[in-house]
Amino acid sequence: MKLGIVGLPNVGKSTLFNAITNAGVPADNYAFCTIDPNVGVVSVPDERLQWLSNFYSPKKTTPAVIEFVDIAGLVKGASKGEGLGNKFLSNIRTTDAIVHVVRCFEDSNVTHVEGSTDPLRDIDIINLELVMADIEMVERRIDKAQKAMKGGDKKFAREVEVFTELLQHLNEGKLARTFTDDKEDLALISTSDLLTLKKTIYVSNLAENEINEPESNRHYMAVKALADEEGSQLIPICAKLEADIAELDDPEEKAMFMEELGVNESGLDKLIKSSYALLGLISFLTAGSDECRAWTIKKGTKAPQAAGKIHTDFERGFIRAEVIAFDDLKELGTMANAKSQGKVRSEGKEYIMKDGDIVNFLFNV
């Protein structure tokens, strides 16, 4: 999974990226500090995987990972190449979802590219640039489909109709993700890799004294109303505080510091939970003396396709899956006890994977 962290210059975007990835990229107080996209790969914390690792003492333990891409700050005119716009737009197309950092704190010592704190205005600036870039892409798609229709291919008639309606929607300043709930139309426009079709997690960057009571911040509440309307996720985070937490190497010291601040979970944990929920993802596990590993799949994935995440041969030659729920193994203590209690199941090609399944795939090619 790849998440693109975006936002106007100086809203705390790179500070947050540094904190969650410990990558140490510059985050100075001036625009365009992040010129090239910085990439950080972080492990997904999973207590189930840790338990299995302690249980099996494998040669290797491999967690699921998320790739964060810190993308250069956007300004007005980016869709026309202003600032670092073209670079921004090309990099964001490769991400699965957008983490949109908005500044909700007041601080005269930290310059704002627009001169004041107004997160809804900031969101509109970025969304408008993304919409304008999408308009160009949709116009090209319509033109291509119309030419195909002239060649006698009637299947493009529906494509012209849908994308023409979408173009009108975009021209009104609306996002592609608010265009339709029709599954067939959505599947069609999904083939065009539109920027405003990507699901979004808004990160409200708050002051330290507001993080435990974000509802007291009027800017946060304004973003919350927007996120609720869009069906997007919203996370309250203090990027500066996350940076302080990230500097502590000792886990106990980190836990004590967070407890003193009344912070229950890190910004990274919040982002991971939100991204899994937003994208409809779950994890299954494989375990043994060689390796314990977590694998990320979409909800609703069937056993053969889950097996294919490990190796294409597993999917191609799928016979069956031996499955036990993590909670059952943990409760019963050993695999032998689990088998005697009938908790290890044999599942076929139609089995839909569940979060926390521990699986052994049987295949033959």
Side-chain angles (χ1 to χ4, degrees):
M1 174 165 51
K2 184 187 283 190
L3 302 177
I5 303 181
V6 307
L8 289 176
N10 295 349
V11 296
K13 177 176 59 70
S14 292
T15 302
L16 177 64
F17 174 82
N18 290 352
I20 62 179
T21 64
N22 286 316
V25 301
D28 298 313
N29 183 23
Y30 59 90
F32 307 133
C33 180
T34 312
I35 296 175
D36 293 312
N38 291 279
V39 179
V41 178
V42 300
S43 301
V44 175
D46 193 331
E47 292 179 359
R48 301 169 302 190
L49 182 65
Q50 189 58 55
W51 188 91
L52 287 172
S53 185
N54 295 335
F55 182 77
Y56 282 100
S57 298
K59 296 172 187 173
K60 185 166 67 168
T61 299
T62 309
V65 296
I66 294 180
E67 187 175 317
F68 288 97
V69 185
D70 182 27
I71 299 170
L74 189 66
V75 293
K76 287 178 182 176
S79 59
K80 302 299 181 186
E82 291 296 321
L84 298 165
N86 289 333
K87 188 178 286 289
F88 170 95
L89 296 171
S90 62
N91 289 323
I92 200 174
R93 288 195 196 281
T94 64
T95 62
D96 297 307
I98 296 171
V99 177
H100 189 156
V101 182
V102 290
R103 174 172 163 174
C104 292
F105 65 89
E106 305 277 357
D107 189 340
S108 58
N109 295 317
V110 181
T111 6
H112 191 293
V113 72
E114 290 296 318
S116 63
T117 300
D118 184 347
L120 294 186
R121 175 204 59 207
D122 296 351
I123 290 169
D124 281 343
I125 288 171
I126 286 188
N127 282 347
L128 181 59
E129 297 305 324
L130 300 184
V131 165
M132 290 173 72
D134 280 352
I135 285 172
E136 289 186 18
M137 182 170 278
V138 169
E139 286 174 339
R140 289 198 298 269
R141 183 68 177 259
I142 293 170
D143 184 57
K144 186 177 178 181
Q146 285 174 334
K147 288 176 180 175
M149 281 177 63
K150 288 178 182 176
D153 197 335
K154 300 296 183 185
K155 71 178 182 181
F156 287 99
R158 179 61 182 160
E159 186 168 322
V160 170
E161 182 183 346
V162 170
F163 277 95
T164 300
E165 290 174 3
L166 174 59
L167 180 60
Q168 182 180 345
H169 181 82
L170 292 169
N171 278 325
E172 292 170 0
K174 298 174 183 176
L175 311 179
R177 63 177 178 267
T178 65
F179 172 60
T180 182
D181 290 325
D182 184 279
K183 288 184 179 179
E184 289 186 9
D185 289 352
L186 194 55
L188 180 58
I189 65 173
S190 294
T191 62
S192 58
D193 197 24
L194 297 174
L195 297 171
T196 63
L197 198 58
K198 293 182 184 294
K199 294 186 176 182
T200 298
I201 301 170
Y202 291 109
V203 170
S204 175
N205 189 12
L206 299 165
E208 289 182 55
N209 62 348
E210 297 172 324
I211 191 62
N212 291 324
E213 294 182 351
E215 292 82 4
S216 64
N217 182 298
R218 63 186 177 89
H219 297 309
Y220 171 84
M221 294 306 291
V223 179
K224 184 178 186 303
L226 176 67
D228 289 345
E229 183 183 339
E230 284 185 7
S232 298
Q233 300 264 342
L234 172 63
I235 304 173
I237 281 179
C238 173
K240 183 178 181 299
L241 193 58
E242 294 297 326
D244 292 340
I245 293 170
E247 287 179 3
L248 301 174
D249 294 324
D250 183 80
E252 288 187 12
E253 189 181 356
K254 188 176 290 190
M256 285 176 60
F257 182 59
M258 289 174 65
E259 188 177 346
E260 286 174 11
L261 295 167
V263 177
N264 297 321
E265 57 182 347
S266 70
L268 175 60
D269 289 340
K270 290 178 182 178
L271 268 176
I272 288 171
K273 285 181 182 177
S274 285
S275 58
Y276 268 63
L278 188 71
L279 296 172
L281 302 175
I282 60 172
S283 293
F284 74 89
L285 306 147
T286 52
S289 57
D290 284 334
E291 183 181 29
C292 290
R293 183 163 180 168
W295 305 84
T296 302
I297 54 172
K298 285 266 190 185
K299 285 180 184 175
T301 299
K302 292 183 178 179
Q305 287 69 52
K309 289 281 289 185
I310 301 173
H311 198 286
T312 52
D313 284 351
F314 283 31
E315 180 175 0
R316 188 160 55 92
F318 180 88
I319 299 172
R320 67 179 184 275
E322 293 179 345
V323 184
I324 179 172
F326 169 80
D327 289 341
D328 288 339
L329 177 59
K330 185 178 180 181
E331 181 185 344
L332 296 169
T334 68
M335 192 62 79
N337 285 344
K339 286 181 178 177
S340 69
Q341 295 287 326
K343 295 296 185 180
V344 180
R345 311 182 310 275
S346 182
E347 302 287 1
K349 292 182 178 181
E350 295 304 311
Y351 176 69
I352 295 174
M353 301 290 293
K354 295 179 177 61
D355 188 48
D357 277 348
I358 303 169
V359 193
N360 177 38
F361 293 109
L362 302 179
F363 71 104
N364 182 35
V365 290

